[in-house]
Amino acid sequence: MSGKPGLRDVARVAKVSLSTASRALAQPGLVSPEVRARIEQVCVELRYIPNRTAKRLSVDRSDTIGVIVPSIANPLFAPAIDGVRTVLDARNFGMLINSAELDPLRELKQVRTFLEHGVDAILTLMPVHDEQLFELLEYSKIPAVFINSARSETTHPFVEHDNFGAMRAMAQKVIDAGHREIAIISGPRSSTPIIFERTTAALETLAGSGVQPSLDWMIECDYDPVPARAAVRALLTSGRVPTALVCTGDQHAAAAVIEAQALGLRVPEDISVTGCNDVPLALLCEPQLTTVRLPYRELGETACRLALEMLEGNTPQRRTLLPYEVIERGSLGRPRTA
Amino acid sequence: MSGKPGLRDVARVAKVSLSTASRALAQPGLVSPEVRARIEQVCVELRYIPNRTAKRLSVDRSDTIGVIVPSIANPLFAPAIDGVRTVLDARNFGMLINSAELDPLRELKQVRTFLEHGVDAILTLMPVHDEQLFELLEYSKIPAVFINSARSETTHPFVEHDNFGAMRAMAQKVIDAGHREIAIISGPRSSTPIIFERTTAALETLAGSGVQPSLDWMIECDYDPVPARAAVRALLTSGRVPTALVCTGDQHAAAAVIEAQALGLRVPEDISVTGCNDVPLALLCEPQLTTVRLPYRELGETACRLALEMLEGNTPQRRTLLPYEVIERGSLGRPRTA
DNA sequence: CTGAAAGCGCTAACAA
DNA sequence: TTGTTAGCGCTTTCAG
């Protein structure tokens, strides 16, 4: 009774056996009301704090799930993580989180660490994975769900945005508005399949209307404001100016609006701009961004629910595609010549 | 040997005792090289994954720390969390994270959960706390460090930005530029002491130069783009227009720039705007924001280091004040009349 | 340098 | 309904 009180102490003080005390807390129904009340009473008197580590060791369940994100700092993932947290919270589960910094080998290592820590399931938002990861997951038989990185070769459930559909819809809007002189601004296409998917969707959609952006109208650049703005400026100051800028992310779109205006172009009268994701920034722009909303919070919530379902022994659907929604605001208009 | 291999299996295959196997991994120096090599060999053959839960139970150390944030979604905290992660990563520690949603009672509950999970230390970014929290922390004797919420009554180390100094410096710059007609835009002052501190610093600095903003030039509003813009618009369209807008956050400043421009005012020629924090958004504005940089990543890093130091038995300094840096960009100029 | 044995705090048969 | 007992997988004295 020197250190922290354990269940053993509770039992002694309440004059019951260790197992009765254990049951009183875990399966209250199996203990007589009076005894249970007494035990609960003693718990607060002694300020008993259950030791989950010990519990975990006997039941081989940690009530904790591990989440791997490509980067904690990316604001896009914040709502997704928060979605996970929300559903975990309701179940009193803990969340171990780690950032793989976009490095598949780091992800692999982190999964191993999660395994050591005994997480019950793993969620990953990494866009690409190392081959060994799948082997490890299969070997350890731990439930895992993949967010935004489909794997046709494996059986793990995955949930993703309809990136293709979203971008196609957005591009179609631009076409429908009458634009034909269209430039595309995307993030580094090689970095993640998602950006590649969005770019492809845009391109295919334009092609469907006979529009084929020239190479210098297909820009890849980083998301930081400075390089993004520089890229837009370069595009807008070197020769022919498109009537519309289709961006694969709101960051780029915002940079485009700002930079276009700085060059004296009016948005959308002189040039239209569209984004993707619908982050808060889209509302800060003037005009506000016409964009496609992609539900990031739901991404996390859904993935987490799938994982919990697996923990209960069910086999959830393998693929979950989250819907998009085109949000029409002010940054898309008709081209001047139309 | 049916389920996952344990250290016991490793030992058997390597033909050594359980304790030798344990030592080989934990204190390699105490085991003869040949034996150690054999054991390590077997570990990979068997794909042995150490069980930290078991280890934790015997050594009463989890190599995990718990972090509580007011909100995961707030992009300001992301770098701080990432800072924590970075230093934890280097030590192979895990991070349990939770959001208290700005509710001190939730924080209390989450600390309790962390305690159950056996975290070695706790970091909290919550701005305010419930009284019981301190009692619980003291009772459980767990190392805890407070981020951005100083508590003179307790002995826990805390690290914070020099919010007062930062805002005073920024306000002084505005005064020095010649402004006297100054409005202040802040977040809900009651929500967190930090905002209150910044506002107070600004106010006191202005007062030092005999400037006393009228009540309708002291605006409190939410951080979301829409309410922020609305608030700025109201300010700018109702009577006298200030020559400078001092904002306690870049979000507000960005909204101010946008909205001022939408009303036909030039920044900084007609109206100057200053921010605080120096988030990426500051670079997206045109002109870019003159602001004060507050190191969020370091906030997390430092706090985490302090916690680790405590874990090693040291007693780190109680207060750590992080430096600010005024960043002069384009949104602050001289007033037109000056 | 290596092995045997005693737990860490809790759960879960199995008995009573 | 309650108690007894045997672990969960690992670390760690204490001997050898």
Side-chain angles (χ1 to χ4, degrees), chain A residues 152-169:
Chain A
S152 43
E153 310 92 78
T154 67
T155 98
H156 302 288
F158 60 89
V159 15
E160 53 182 2
H161 285 145
D162 183 1
N163 287 293
F164 196 93
M167 212 56 206
R168 183 179 47 203

Side-chain angles (χ1 to χ4, degrees), chain A residues 85 89 106 229 285-286, chain B residues 89 101 106 229 285-286:
Chain A
R85 184 193 61 71
D89 235 50
R106 279 188 60 120
R229 290 180 60 169
C285 293
E286 183 57 40
Chain B
D89 235 51
E101 304 293 303
R106 278 188 61 120
R229 291 180 60 169
C285 291
E286 184 55 40

Side-chain angles (χ1 to χ4, degrees), chain B residues 20 23-25 27-36 39:
Chain B
T20 300
R23 272 188 296 254
L25 303 179
Q27 304 142 58
L30 302 184
V31 174
S32 74
E34 310 85 61
V35 177
R36 194 199 322 157
I39 292 175

Side-chain angles (χ1 to χ4, degrees), chain B residues 43-109:
Chain B
C43 279
V44 332
E45 273 172 12
L46 259 41
R47 313 203 55 161
Y48 169 65
I49 294 177
N51 181 329
R52 291 212 197 198
T53 302
K55 169 173 185 175
R56 179 180 318 183
L57 191 57
S58 36
V59 299
D60 199 32
R61 254 236 191 194
S62 62
D63 287 8
T64 298
I65 72 129
V67 180
I68 293 176
V69 294
S71 137
I72 292 183
N74 187 329
L76 240 27
F77 300 134
I81 297 173
D82 211 46
V84 174
R85 184 194 61 72
T86 307
V87 354
L88 248 27
D89 235 51
R91 309 262 213 131
N92 243 292
F93 266 54
M95 171 171 76
L96 225 30
I97 196 168
N98 235 317
S99 163
E101 304 293 303
L102 268 176
D103 176 356
L105 255 39
R106 278 188 61 120
E107 181 190 33
L108 181 62
K109 185 181 158 230

Side-chain angles (χ1 to χ4, degrees), chain B residues 7-334:
Chain B
L7 200 47
R8 162 175 275 113
D9 301 298
V10 173
R12 183 159 27 71
V13 176
K15 295 188 199 316
V16 293
S17 75
L18 175 56
S19 40
T20 300
S22 173
R23 272 188 296 254
L25 303 179
Q27 304 142 58
L30 302 184
V31 174
S32 74
E34 310 85 61
V35 177
R36 194 199 322 157
R38 187 148 37 92
I39 292 175
E40 281 166 353
Q41 162 78 357
V42 174
C43 279
V44 332
E45 273 172 12
L46 259 41
R47 313 203 55 161
Y48 169 65
I49 294 177
N51 181 329
R52 291 212 197 198
T53 302
K55 169 173 185 175
R56 179 180 318 183
L57 191 57
S58 36
V59 299
D60 199 32
R61 254 236 191 194
S62 62
D63 287 8
T64 298
I65 72 129
V67 180
I68 293 176
V69 294
S71 137
I72 292 183
N74 187 329
L76 240 27
F77 300 134
I81 297 173
D82 211 46
V84 174
R85 184 194 61 72
T86 307
V87 354
L88 248 27
D89 235 51
R91 309 262 213 131
N92 243 292
F93 266 54
M95 171 171 76
L96 225 30
I97 196 168
N98 235 317
S99 163
E101 304 293 303
L102 268 176
D103 176 356
L105 255 39
R106 278 188 61 120
E107 181 190 33
L108 181 62
K109 185 181 158 230
Q110 288 169 350
V111 165
R112 203 165 273 138
T113 306
F114 280 164
L115 255 20
E116 295 183 7
H117 277 281
V119 299
D120 294 334
I122 289 175
L123 264 35
T124 175
L125 277 118
M126 283 285 284
V128 291
H129 313 277
D130 188 273
E131 209 40 61
Q132 292 182 69
L133 177 69
F134 299 99
E135 205 209 333
L136 179 59
L137 289 177
E138 177 167 14
Y139 168 73
S140 60
K141 298 198 190 56
I142 190 173
V145 3
F146 288 75
I147 302 175
N148 265 348
S149 63
R151 285 290 299 192
S152 44
E153 311 92 77
T154 68
T155 97
H156 301 288
F158 61 88
V159 17
E160 51 182 2
H161 286 146
D162 184 2
N163 287 294
F164 196 93
M167 212 54 206
R168 184 179 47 202
M170 192 72 262
Q172 191 59 52
K173 280 273 179 209
V174 174
I175 290 287
D176 292 348
H179 293 276
R180 290 300 178 272
E181 311 276 286
I182 303 169
I184 294 179
I185 305 178
S186 73
R189 236 175 301 169
S190 54
S191 69
T192 107
I194 295 171
I195 294 306
F196 185 81
E197 205 179 346
R198 290 188 191 168
T199 311
T200 305
L203 245 20
E204 285 188 10
T205 307
L206 298 196
S209 296
V211 178
Q212 169 71 58
S214 61
L215 276 184
D216 51 327
W217 276 11
M218 292 175 49
I219 299 185
E220 288 185 34
C221 68
D222 201 53
Y223 302 94
D224 289 326
V226 173
R229 291 180 60 169
V232 173
R233 172 165 293 254
L235 168 69
L236 261 26
T237 53
S238 60
R240 229 161 27 105
V241 172
T243 64
L245 257 31
V246 169
C247 307
T248 61
D250 291 332
Q251 298 285 335
H252 288 331
V257 169
I258 290 286
E259 205 58 41
Q261 291 170 339
L263 290 170
L265 298 168
R266 289 165 307 160
V267 179
E269 293 80 357
D270 299 320
I271 189 165
S272 283
V273 176
T274 65
C276 184
N277 287 332
D278 193 27
V279 297
L281 176 60
L283 292 168
L284 196 53
C285 291
E286 184 55 40
Q288 296 183 333
L289 294 182
T290 287
T291 186
V292 211
R293 176 172 302 156
L294 256 19
Y296 278 86
R297 163 173 286 275
E298 277 185 36
L299 211 51
E301 285 177 352
T302 309
C304 193
R305 286 213 193 83
L306 290 171
L308 292 175
E309 256 191 63
M310 294 174 87
L311 283 182
E312 304 194 325
N314 304 316
T315 305
Q317 65 181 113
R318 205 168 101 68
R319 182 184 195 203
T320 305
L321 199 64
L322 263 24
Y324 60 85
E325 182 190 0
V326 174
I327 309 285
E328 301 192 47
R329 288 195 279 243
S331 69
L332 169 60
R334 308 191 64 78

